[in-house]
């Protein structure tokens, strides 16, 4: 076998197999998955990307578990049929902590999930008090409890289920004003009075890194804010390999929204800044 890396072509026993850049589908309930998308693009700039936001069902944090499994499976049926991804990144803790087994049983492609970074938080905490800031769905999952039992048994773990932060992050990207006081109120439970103080806060929802500057500014004391996105990008590369030489990612990435509400001009600009100038509606109303 010989490999022409520049042309991205493999010659094997007379057959020519063209190594094409993979299609990567990055999925979230809304705009939070963009924080994962940008890291995956950095790791595989040559890939073809579809960013899918199930905004018709946003926020996932309020859906009960059976409804969420059914919703994600049915939206994924459609997205996989339409876009034929080689790998899917579920850039949503609320979905990943519940739906991954069902997705892996349903589709013959790899799924990479996003789950709260409790293990690295416990490894790096000096005070042995960490907080997990996530949606109400994620904090009550058995999966999250199991992560705490397995990796943070010797730490105090303060679980904070925020009902509003994901929506506030979306509002910010849409260009709507968001009051500091509203953000401060949502993060306040990560900083309980008394010793030992928290020194690490796990960003257990992919929307939250969108508000990181505000979190740093509004926190009552400095902490490390753990964003799992770089680790997810590394996992994608482990599964599908590094960039193909000679492929520059020539196909424009596209963003797909299930809600069909349209995007405001500030959101269109924000999406373009994330490398998503091309936006489509793929309406899939949520049957409640
Ligand atoms: N971005 C999602 C997560 O990581 C959830 C936000 C929501 O839909 O409730 O959990």
């Amino acid at each position: 076998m010989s490999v022409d890396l520049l042309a991205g072509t493999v010659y094997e026993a007379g057959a020519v197999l063209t190594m094409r850049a993979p299609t990567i589908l990055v999925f979230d309930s809304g705009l939070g998955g963009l924080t994962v998308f940008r890291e995956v693009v950095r790791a595989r700039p040559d890939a073809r990307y579809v960013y899918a936001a199930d905004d018709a069902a946003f926020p996932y944090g309020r859906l009960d578990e059976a409804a969420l499994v059914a919703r994600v499976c049915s939206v994924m049926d459609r997205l996989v049929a339409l876009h034929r991804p080689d790998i899917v990144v579920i850039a949503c803790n609320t979905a990943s902590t519940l739906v991954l087994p069902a997705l892996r049983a349903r589709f013959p492609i790899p799924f990479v999930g996003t789950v709260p970074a409790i293990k690295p938080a416990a490894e790096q905490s000096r005070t042995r008090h960490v907080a997990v800031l996530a949606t109400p769905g994620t904090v009550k999952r058995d999966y999250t409890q199991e992560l705490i039992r397995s990796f943070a048994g010797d730490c105090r773990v303060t679980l904070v289920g925020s009902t509003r932060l994901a929506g506030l992050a979306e509002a910010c990207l849409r260009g709507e004003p968001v009051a500091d006081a509203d953000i401060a109120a949502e993060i306040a439970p990560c900083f309980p009075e008394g010793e030992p103080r928290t020194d690490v806060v796990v960003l257990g929802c992919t929307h939250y890194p969108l508000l990181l500057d505000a979190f740093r500014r509004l926190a009552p004391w400095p902490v490390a804010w753990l964003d799992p996105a770089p680790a997810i990008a590394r996992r994608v590369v482990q599964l599908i390999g590094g960039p193909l030489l000679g492929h520059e990612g020539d196909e424009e990435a596209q963003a797909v929204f299930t809600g069909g509400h349209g995007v405001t001009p500030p959101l269109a600009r924000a999406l373009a800044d994330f490398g998503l100038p091309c936006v489509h509606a793929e309406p899939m109303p949520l049957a409640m």
Side-chain angles (χ1 to χ4, degrees):
M1 177 177 90
S2 72
V3 180
D4 177 348
L5 285 173
L6 276 178
T9 304
V10 181
Y11 303 91
E12 189 170 17
V16 178
L17 311 168
T18 301
M19 285 200 291
R20 57 178 181 81
T23 296
I24 302 179
L25 171 65
V26 179
F27 176 82
D28 183 31
S29 57
L31 303 170
L34 293 170
T35 62
V36 175
F37 171 77
R38 71 183 162 201
E39 290 298 329
V40 179
V41 171
R42 252 177 226 150
R44 281 301 306 253
D46 59 314
R48 181 179 157 253
Y49 284 93
V50 179
Y51 180 82
D54 186 15
D55 61 331
F58 178 84
Y60 276 180
R62 80 195 146 112
L63 295 184
D64 76 42
E65 296 196 346
L68 183 54
V69 175
R71 173 66 185 177
V72 175
C73 286
S74 75
V75 172
M76 201 52 65
D77 282 347
R78 183 105 158 249
L79 291 170
V80 167
L82 279 173
H83 301 286
R84 311 227 159 263
D86 297 289
I87 186 168
V88 179
V89 179
I90 303 294
C92 175
N93 295 261
T94 313
S96 298
T97 48
L98 184 69
V99 188
L100 282 174
L103 292 173
R104 287 177 176 144
R106 200 173 178 96
F107 301 99
I109 46 176
F111 280 80
V112 176
T114 309
V115 299
I118 288 165
K119 183 170 185 247
E123 282 164 0
Q124 91 178 58
S125 172
R126 287 166 184 273
T127 63
R128 313 312 290 151
H129 183 185
V130 306
V132 178
L133 180 61
T135 65
T138 298
V139 298
K140 61 171 197 259
R141 294 270 186 269
D142 291 344
Y143 192 99
T144 305
Q145 301 298 335
E146 188 50 44
L147 286 177
I148 294 170
R149 271 194 297 279
S150 307
F151 301 112
D154 65 337
C155 278
R156 178 173 159 199
V157 178
T158 296
L159 284 169
V160 179
S162 165
T163 48
R164 297 190 60 210
L165 270 182
L168 294 174
E170 297 248 329
C172 254
L173 273 198
R174 282 196 303 268
E176 294 161 16
V178 172
D180 275 359
D182 290 340
I183 297 175
E186 295 300 301
I187 65 169
C190 298
F191 301 90
E193 305 250 312
E195 296 293 331
R197 284 181 163 190
T198 48
D199 64 348
V200 180
V201 177
V202 174
L203 297 170
C205 167
T206 52
H207 281 72
Y208 302 168
L210 295 169
L211 296 172
L212 190 52
D213 289 343
F215 291 174
R216 289 205 172 105
R217 192 162 43 76
L218 299 168
W221 58 79
V223 291
W225 301 91
L226 278 198
D227 175 1
I232 293 158
R234 286 195 295 276
R235 180 69 188 138
V236 168
V237 168
Q238 259 175 13
L239 288 171
I240 62 166
L244 299 177
L245 293 178
H247 289 251
E248 303 298 334
D250 14 60
E251 262 195 69
E252 211 154 67
Q254 40 175 321
V256 176
F257 287 82
T258 60
H261 314 303
V263 295
T264 60
L267 178 55
R269 279 195 297 278
L271 289 168
D273 288 347
F274 273 96
L276 290 161
C278 215
V279 180
H280 305 285
E282 183 60 53
M284 296 182 223
L286 176 66
M288 293 292 277

Coordinates of all heavy atoms in Angstrom, one line a residue, residues 147-231:
L147 N -20.6 9.6 38.8 CA -19.3 10.3 38.6 C -18.7 10.8 40.0 O -17.5 10.6 40.3 CB -19.4 11.5 37.7 CG -19.6 11.2 36.2 CD1 -19.7 12.5 35.4 CD2 -18.3 10.4 35.6
I148 N -19.6 11.3 40.8 CA -19.2 11.9 42.1 C -18.7 10.7 43.0 O -17.6 10.8 43.6 CB -20.3 12.7 42.7 CG1 -20.6 13.9 41.9 CG2 -20.0 13.0 44.2 CD1 -21.9 14.7 42.3
R149 N -19.5 9.6 43.0 CA -19.1 8.5 43.8 C -17.7 7.9 43.4 O -16.9 7.6 44.2 CB -20.1 7.4 43.8 CG -21.2 7.5 44.8 CD -22.0 6.2 44.9 NE -22.7 5.9 43.7 CZ -23.9 6.4 43.4 NH1 -24.5 7.3 44.2 NH2 -24.5 6.1 42.2
S150 N -17.6 7.8 42.0 CA -16.3 7.2 41.5 C -15.1 8.0 41.6 O -14.0 7.5 41.8 CB -16.5 6.8 40.1 OG -17.6 6.0 39.9
F151 N -15.3 9.4 41.4 CA -14.1 10.2 41.3 C -13.9 11.3 42.3 O -12.9 11.9 42.4 CB -14.0 10.8 39.9 CG -14.1 9.8 38.8 CD1 -15.2 9.7 37.9 CD2 -13.0 8.9 38.6 CE1 -15.2 8.7 36.9 CE2 -13.0 8.0 37.6 CZ -14.1 7.9 36.8
A152 N -14.9 11.6 43.1 CA -14.8 12.7 44.0 C -15.3 12.3 45.4 O -15.8 13.1 46.2 CB -15.6 13.9 43.5
G153 N -15.1 11.0 45.7 CA -15.5 10.5 47.0 C -14.9 11.3 48.2 O -15.6 11.3 49.3
D154 N -13.7 11.8 48.0 CA -13.1 12.5 49.2 C -13.3 14.0 49.1 O -12.5 14.7 49.7 CB -11.6 12.1 49.2 CG -10.8 12.6 48.0 OD1 -11.5 12.9 47.0 OD2 -9.6 12.8 48.1
C155 N -14.2 14.5 48.2 CA -14.4 15.9 48.1 C -15.8 16.2 48.6 O -16.7 15.4 48.5 CB -14.4 16.3 46.7 SG -12.8 16.6 46.0
R156 N -16.0 17.5 49.0 CA -17.3 18.0 49.2 C -17.8 18.5 47.8 O -17.0 19.2 47.2 CB -17.3 19.1 50.2 CG -18.7 19.7 50.4 CD -18.6 20.7 51.6 NE -19.7 21.7 51.5 CZ -19.8 22.8 52.1 NH1 -18.7 23.2 52.8 NH2 -20.8 23.7 51.9
V157 N -19.0 18.0 47.4 CA -19.4 18.5 46.0 C -20.7 19.2 46.2 O -21.7 18.7 46.7 CB -19.6 17.2 45.1 CG1 -20.1 17.7 43.7 CG2 -18.3 16.5 44.9
T158 N -20.7 20.5 45.8 CA -21.9 21.3 45.8 C -22.6 21.3 44.5 O -22.0 21.7 43.5 CB -21.6 22.7 46.3 OG1 -21.1 22.7 47.6 CG2 -22.8 23.7 46.2
L159 N -23.8 20.7 44.4 CA -24.5 20.6 43.1 C -25.4 21.7 42.9 O -26.3 22.0 43.8 CB -25.3 19.3 43.0 CG -24.5 18.0 42.8 CD1 -25.4 16.8 43.1 CD2 -23.9 17.9 41.4
V160 N -25.3 22.5 41.8 CA -26.1 23.6 41.6 C -26.8 23.5 40.3 O -26.2 23.5 39.2 CB -25.2 24.9 41.5 CG1 -26.1 26.2 41.3 CG2 -24.4 25.1 42.8
G161 N -28.2 23.3 40.3 CA -29.0 23.2 39.1 C -29.6 24.5 38.8 O -30.4 25.0 39.5
S162 N -29.1 25.1 37.7 CA -29.6 26.4 37.3 C -30.7 26.3 36.3 O -30.5 25.7 35.3 CB -28.4 27.3 36.8 OG -29.0 28.4 36.1
T163 N -31.8 27.0 36.6 CA -32.9 26.9 35.6 C -32.8 28.0 34.6 O -33.3 27.9 33.5 CB -34.3 27.2 36.3 OG1 -34.2 28.3 37.2 CG2 -34.7 26.0 37.1
R164 N -32.0 29.1 34.9 CA -32.0 30.2 34.0 C -30.8 30.5 33.1 O -30.8 31.2 32.1 CB -32.3 31.5 34.8 CG -33.6 31.5 35.5 CD -33.9 32.8 36.1 NE -33.9 33.9 35.1 CZ -33.6 35.2 35.4 NH1 -33.2 35.5 36.5 NH2 -33.7 36.1 34.4
L165 N -29.6 29.9 33.6 CA -28.4 30.3 32.9 C -28.3 30.0 31.4 O -27.8 30.8 30.6 CB -27.2 29.7 33.6 CG -26.5 30.4 34.8 CD1 -25.3 29.6 35.3 CD2 -26.1 31.8 34.4
A166 N -28.8 28.8 31.0 CA -28.7 28.5 29.6 C -29.5 29.5 28.7 O -29.0 30.0 27.7 CB -29.2 27.1 29.3
G167 N -30.6 29.9 29.2 CA -31.4 30.9 28.5 C -30.7 32.2 28.5 O -30.8 33.0 27.5
L168 N -30.1 32.6 29.6 CA -29.3 33.9 29.6 C -28.2 33.9 28.6 O -27.9 34.9 28.0 CB -28.8 34.2 31.1 CG -29.9 34.4 32.1 CD1 -29.2 34.5 33.5 CD2 -30.7 35.6 31.8
A169 N -27.5 32.7 28.5 CA -26.4 32.6 27.6 C -26.9 32.8 26.1 O -26.4 33.5 25.3 CB -25.7 31.3 27.7
E170 N -28.1 32.2 25.9 CA -28.7 32.3 24.5 C -29.1 33.8 24.3 O -28.9 34.3 23.2 CB -30.0 31.4 24.4 CG -29.7 30.0 24.6 CD -30.0 29.1 23.4 OE1 -30.8 29.5 22.6 OE2 -29.3 28.1 23.2
A171 N -29.6 34.4 25.3 CA -30.1 35.8 25.1 C -28.8 36.7 24.8 O -28.9 37.5 23.9 CB -30.7 36.3 26.4
C172 N -27.7 36.4 25.5 CA -26.5 37.2 25.2 C -26.1 37.0 23.7 O -25.8 38.0 23.1 CB -25.4 36.6 26.0 SG -24.9 37.6 27.4
L173 N -26.1 35.8 23.2 CA -25.7 35.6 21.8 C -26.7 36.2 20.8 O -26.3 36.6 19.7 CB -25.5 34.1 21.5 CG -24.2 33.4 21.8 CD1 -24.1 32.1 21.0 CD2 -23.0 34.3 21.4
R174 N -27.9 36.3 21.3 CA -28.9 36.9 20.4 C -28.8 38.4 20.4 O -29.5 39.1 19.7 CB -30.4 36.5 20.8 CG -30.8 35.1 20.3 CD -32.3 34.9 20.4 NE -32.8 35.2 21.8 CZ -32.9 34.3 22.7 NH1 -32.6 33.0 22.4 NH2 -33.4 34.6 23.9
G175 N -28.0 38.9 21.3 CA -27.8 40.4 21.4 C -28.7 41.1 22.3 O -28.9 42.3 22.2
E176 N -29.4 40.3 23.2 CA -30.3 40.9 24.1 C -29.6 41.3 25.4 O -28.6 40.6 25.8 CB -31.5 39.9 24.5 CG -32.3 39.6 23.2 CD -33.1 38.4 23.4 OE1 -33.3 37.9 24.6 OE2 -33.6 37.9 22.4
P177 N -30.0 42.4 26.1 CA -29.3 42.7 27.3 C -29.6 41.7 28.4 O -30.7 41.2 28.6 CB -30.0 44.1 27.7 CG -31.3 44.1 27.0 CD -31.2 43.2 25.8
V178 N -28.5 41.4 29.1 CA -28.6 40.4 30.3 C -28.0 41.1 31.5 O -26.8 41.6 31.4 CB -27.9 39.1 29.9 CG1 -27.8 38.2 31.2 CG2 -28.6 38.4 28.8
A179 N -28.7 41.2 32.6 CA -28.3 41.9 33.7 C -27.2 41.1 34.5 O -27.5 39.9 34.7 CB -29.4 42.3 34.6
D180 N -26.2 41.7 34.9 CA -25.2 41.1 35.8 C -25.8 40.4 37.0 O -25.4 39.3 37.4 CB -24.1 42.1 36.3 CG -23.0 42.3 35.2 OD1 -23.0 41.6 34.2 OD2 -22.1 43.1 35.5
A181 N -26.8 41.1 37.6 CA -27.4 40.6 38.8 C -28.1 39.3 38.5 O -28.1 38.4 39.4 CB -28.5 41.6 39.3
D182 N -28.7 39.1 37.3 CA -29.3 37.8 37.0 C -28.3 36.7 37.0 O -28.5 35.5 37.4 CB -30.1 37.9 35.7 CG -31.3 38.7 35.9 OD1 -31.7 39.0 37.0 OD2 -31.8 39.2 34.8
I183 N -27.1 37.0 36.3 CA -26.1 35.9 36.3 C -25.5 35.7 37.7 O -25.3 34.5 38.1 CB -24.9 36.4 35.3 CG1 -25.5 36.6 33.9 CG2 -23.8 35.4 35.3 CD1 -24.5 37.2 32.9
A184 N -25.3 36.7 38.4 CA -24.7 36.6 39.8 C -25.6 35.7 40.6 O -25.1 34.9 41.4 CB -24.4 38.0 40.4
A185 N -26.9 35.9 40.5 CA -27.8 35.1 41.3 C -27.7 33.6 41.0 O -27.9 32.8 41.9 CB -29.3 35.6 41.2
E186 N -27.5 33.3 39.7 CA -27.5 31.9 39.3 C -26.2 31.2 39.8 O -26.2 30.0 40.1 CB -27.7 31.8 37.8 CG -29.0 32.2 37.3 CD -30.2 31.4 37.8 OE1 -30.2 30.2 37.7 OE2 -31.1 32.0 38.5
I187 N -25.1 32.0 39.8 CA -23.8 31.3 40.2 C -23.6 31.4 41.7 O -22.8 30.6 42.2 CB -22.6 31.9 39.4 CG1 -22.3 33.4 39.8 CG2 -22.7 31.7 37.9 CD1 -21.0 33.9 39.2
A188 N -24.4 32.2 42.4 CA -24.1 32.4 43.8 C -24.1 31.1 44.6 O -23.2 30.9 45.5 CB -25.2 33.3 44.4
P189 N -24.9 30.1 44.3 CA -24.9 28.9 45.2 C -23.6 28.0 45.0 O -23.3 27.1 45.8 CB -26.1 28.0 44.6 CG -27.0 29.0 44.0 CD -26.1 30.1 43.4
C190 N -22.8 28.4 44.0 CA -21.5 27.7 43.8 C -20.5 28.2 44.9 O -19.4 27.7 45.0 CB -20.9 28.0 42.5 SG -21.8 27.4 41.1
F191 N -20.9 29.3 45.6 CA -20.0 29.9 46.6 C -20.6 30.0 48.0 O -20.9 31.0 48.5 CB -19.6 31.3 46.1 CG -19.0 31.3 44.7 CD1 -19.7 31.4 43.6 CD2 -17.6 31.2 44.6 CE1 -19.2 31.4 42.3 CE2 -17.0 31.2 43.3 CZ -17.8 31.3 42.2
P192 N -20.9 28.8 48.5 CA -21.5 28.8 49.9 C -20.6 29.4 50.9 O -19.3 29.3 50.8 CB -21.8 27.3 50.1 CG -21.0 26.6 49.2 CD -20.6 27.4 48.0
E193 N -21.2 30.0 51.9 CA -20.4 30.5 53.1 C -19.7 29.4 53.8 O -20.1 28.3 53.8 CB -21.3 31.2 54.1 CG -22.2 32.2 53.4 CD -21.9 33.6 53.9 OE1 -21.7 33.8 55.1 OE2 -21.7 34.5 53.0
G194 N -18.6 29.7 54.5 CA -18.0 28.8 55.3 C -16.8 28.1 54.7 O -16.6 28.2 53.5
E195 N -16.0 27.4 55.5 CA -14.8 26.8 55.0 C -15.0 25.3 54.9 O -15.9 24.7 55.6 CB -13.6 27.0 56.0 CG -13.2 28.4 56.2 CD -12.6 29.1 55.0 OE1 -11.9 28.3 54.2 OE2 -12.7 30.3 54.8
P196 N -14.3 24.6 54.0 CA -13.4 25.1 53.0 C -14.2 25.8 51.8 O -15.3 25.3 51.5 CB -12.7 23.9 52.5 CG -13.6 22.8 52.7 CD -14.4 23.1 53.9
R197 N -13.6 26.8 51.3 CA -14.3 27.4 50.1 C -14.1 26.5 48.9 O -13.2 25.8 48.8 CB -13.6 28.7 49.8 CG -13.9 29.8 50.7 CD -13.2 31.1 50.3 NE -13.7 32.3 50.9 CZ -13.4 33.5 50.6 NH1 -12.5 33.7 49.7 NH2 -14.0 34.5 51.2
T198 N -15.1 26.7 47.9 CA -14.9 26.0 46.6 C -13.7 26.6 45.9 O -13.5 27.9 46.0 CB -16.1 26.2 45.7 OG1 -16.5 27.6 45.7 CG2 -17.3 25.4 46.2
D199 N -12.9 25.8 45.2 CA -11.8 26.3 44.4 C -11.9 25.9 42.9 O -11.2 26.4 42.1 CB -10.5 26.0 45.0 CG -10.1 24.6 45.0 OD1 -11.0 23.7 44.8 OD2 -9.0 24.2 45.3
V200 N -12.9 25.0 42.6 CA -13.1 24.6 41.2 C -14.6 24.6 41.0 O -15.4 24.1 41.8 CB -12.5 23.2 41.0 CG1 -12.8 22.8 39.5 CG2 -11.0 23.1 41.3
V201 N -15.0 25.1 39.9 CA -16.5 25.0 39.5 C -16.5 24.3 38.1 O -15.9 24.8 37.1 CB -17.2 26.4 39.4 CG1 -18.6 26.2 38.9 CG2 -17.1 27.1 40.7
V202 N -17.2 23.2 38.1 CA -17.4 22.5 36.8 C -18.5 23.1 36.0 O -19.6 23.3 36.5 CB -17.8 21.0 37.1 CG1 -18.1 20.2 35.9 CG2 -16.7 20.3 37.9
L203 N -18.1 23.5 34.8 CA -19.1 24.0 33.9 C -19.9 22.8 33.2 O -19.4 22.3 32.2 CB -18.5 24.9 32.8 CG -17.8 26.2 33.4 CD1 -16.9 26.9 32.3 CD2 -18.8 27.1 34.0
G204 N -21.0 22.4 33.9 CA -21.6 21.2 33.5 C -22.7 21.4 32.5 O -23.6 20.5 32.4
C205 N -22.7 22.5 31.8 CA -23.6 22.7 30.7 C -22.8 23.5 29.7 O -22.1 24.5 30.0 CB -24.8 23.6 31.2 SG -25.9 24.2 29.9
T206 N -23.0 23.1 28.4 CA -22.1 23.7 27.4 C -22.4 25.1 27.1 O -21.7 25.8 26.5 CB -22.2 22.8 26.1 OG1 -23.6 22.7 25.7 CG2 -21.6 21.5 26.3
H207 N -23.6 25.6 27.6 CA -23.9 27.0 27.4 C -23.0 27.9 28.3 O -22.8 29.1 27.9 CB -25.4 27.3 27.8 CG -26.4 26.9 26.7 ND1 -26.7 25.6 26.4 CD2 -27.1 27.7 25.9 CE1 -27.6 25.6 25.4 NE2 -27.9 26.9 25.1
Y208 N -22.6 27.4 29.4 CA -22.0 28.3 30.4 C -20.7 28.9 30.0 O -20.4 30.1 30.4 CB -21.9 27.5 31.8 CG -23.2 27.1 32.3 CD1 -23.3 26.2 33.4 CD2 -24.5 27.5 31.7 CE1 -24.5 25.7 33.9 CE2 -25.7 27.0 32.2 CZ -25.7 26.1 33.3 OH -26.9 25.7 33.8
P209 N -19.8 28.2 29.2 CA -18.6 28.9 28.8 C -18.9 30.2 28.0 O -18.0 31.1 27.9 CB -17.8 27.8 28.0 CG -18.3 26.5 28.6 CD -19.8 26.8 28.9
L210 N -20.1 30.3 27.4 CA -20.4 31.5 26.7 C -20.5 32.7 27.7 O -20.3 33.8 27.2 CB -21.8 31.4 26.0 CG -21.8 30.3 24.9 CD1 -23.3 30.1 24.5 CD2 -21.0 30.7 23.7
L211 N -20.6 32.4 28.9 CA -20.8 33.5 29.9 C -19.5 33.6 30.8 O -19.6 34.3 31.9 CB -22.0 33.3 30.8 CG -23.4 33.3 30.1 CD1 -24.5 32.9 31.0 CD2 -23.6 34.7 29.5
L212 N -18.5 33.0 30.4 CA -17.3 32.8 31.3 C -16.7 34.2 31.8 O -16.4 34.3 33.0 CB -16.2 32.0 30.6 CG -15.1 31.5 31.5 CD1 -15.6 30.8 32.8 CD2 -14.2 30.5 30.7
D213 N -16.7 35.1 30.9 CA -16.1 36.4 31.3 C -16.9 37.0 32.4 O -16.4 37.5 33.4 CB -16.1 37.4 30.1 CG -15.0 37.0 29.1 OD1 -14.1 36.2 29.5 OD2 -15.1 37.5 28.0
A214 N -18.3 36.9 32.3 CA -19.1 37.4 33.4 C -19.0 36.6 34.7 O -18.9 37.2 35.8 CB -20.6 37.4 32.9
F215 N -18.8 35.3 34.5 CA -18.7 34.5 35.8 C -17.4 34.9 36.5 O -17.4 35.1 37.7 CB -18.5 33.0 35.4 CG -19.7 32.3 34.9 CD1 -19.6 31.0 34.4 CD2 -20.9 32.9 34.8 CE1 -20.7 30.3 33.9 CE2 -22.1 32.3 34.3 CZ -22.0 31.0 33.9
R216 N -16.3 35.1 35.7 CA -15.0 35.5 36.4 C -15.2 36.8 37.1 O -14.7 37.0 38.2 CB -13.9 35.6 35.4 CG -13.5 34.3 34.8 CD -12.1 34.3 34.3 NE -11.6 33.0 34.0 CZ -11.5 32.5 32.7 NH1 -11.7 33.3 31.7 NH2 -11.1 31.3 32.5
R217 N -15.9 37.8 36.4 CA -16.0 39.1 37.0 C -16.9 39.1 38.2 O -16.7 39.9 39.1 CB -16.6 40.0 35.8 CG -16.6 41.4 36.0 CD -16.8 42.2 34.7 NE -17.8 41.6 33.8 CZ -19.1 41.7 33.9 NH1 -19.6 42.4 35.0 NH2 -20.0 41.2 33.1
L218 N -17.9 38.2 38.2 CA -19.0 38.3 39.2 C -18.8 37.3 40.4 O -19.4 37.4 41.4 CB -20.4 38.0 38.6 CG -20.8 39.0 37.5 CD1 -22.0 38.5 36.8 CD2 -21.1 40.4 38.1
A219 N -17.8 36.4 40.3 CA -17.6 35.5 41.3 C -17.1 36.1 42.6 O -16.2 37.0 42.5 CB -16.5 34.4 40.9
P220 N -17.6 35.7 43.8 CA -17.1 36.4 45.0 C -15.7 36.0 45.4 O -15.1 36.8 46.1 CB -18.1 35.8 46.1 CG -18.9 34.7 45.4 CD -18.7 34.8 44.0
W221 N -15.1 34.9 44.9 CA -13.7 34.7 45.0 C -13.2 33.9 43.8 O -14.0 33.3 43.1 CB -13.4 33.9 46.3 CG -14.0 32.6 46.5 CD1 -13.7 31.4 46.0 CD2 -15.1 32.4 47.4 NE1 -14.5 30.4 46.4 CE2 -15.4 31.0 47.3 CE3 -15.9 33.2 48.2 CZ2 -16.4 30.4 48.0 CZ3 -17.0 32.5 48.9 CH2 -17.2 31.2 48.8
P222 N -11.9 34.0 43.5 CA -11.5 33.3 42.2 C -11.5 31.8 42.4 O -11.2 31.2 43.4 CB -10.0 33.8 42.1 CG -9.7 34.5 43.4 CD -10.9 34.7 44.2
V223 N -11.9 31.2 41.3 CA -12.0 29.7 41.2 C -11.5 29.3 39.8 O -11.5 30.1 38.9 CB -13.4 29.1 41.5 CG1 -13.9 29.3 42.9 CG2 -14.4 29.7 40.5
A224 N -11.2 28.0 39.6 CA -10.9 27.5 38.3 C -12.3 27.1 37.7 O -13.0 26.4 38.4 CB -10.0 26.3 38.3
W225 N -12.6 27.5 36.5 CA -13.9 27.1 35.9 C -13.5 26.0 34.8 O -12.8 26.3 33.9 CB -14.5 28.3 35.2 CG -14.8 29.5 36.0 CD1 -14.0 30.5 36.3 CD2 -16.0 29.7 36.8 NE1 -14.6 31.4 37.2 CE2 -15.8 31.0 37.5 CE3 -17.2 29.1 36.9 CZ2 -16.8 31.5 38.3 CZ3 -18.2 29.6 37.7 CH2 -18.0 30.8 38.4
L226 N -14.0 24.8 35.0 CA -13.6 23.7 34.2 C -14.6 23.5 33.0 O -15.7 23.2 33.1 CB -13.6 22.4 34.9 CG -12.3 22.2 35.8 CD1 -12.2 20.7 36.1 CD2 -11.1 22.6 35.1
D227 N -14.0 23.7 31.8 CA -14.8 23.6 30.5 C -14.3 22.3 29.9 O -13.1 22.2 29.6 CB -14.5 24.8 29.7 CG -15.1 24.7 28.3 OD1 -15.8 23.7 28.0 OD2 -14.9 25.7 27.5
P228 N -15.2 21.3 29.6 CA -14.7 20.0 29.1 C -14.4 20.1 27.6 O -13.9 19.1 27.0 CB -15.9 19.1 29.3 CG -17.1 20.0 29.3 CD -16.6 21.4 29.8
A229 N -14.6 21.2 26.9 CA -14.6 21.2 25.4 C -13.2 20.7 24.9 O -13.2 19.9 23.9 CB -14.9 22.6 24.9
P230 N -12.1 21.2 25.4 CA -10.8 20.7 24.8 C -10.7 19.1 24.9 O -10.2 18.5 24.0 CB -9.7 21.4 25.6 CG -10.4 22.6 26.2 CD -11.8 22.2 26.4
A231 N -11.1 18.6 26.0 CA -11.0 17.1 26.2 C -11.9 16.4 25.2 O -11.6 15.3 24.7 CB -11.4 16.7 27.6

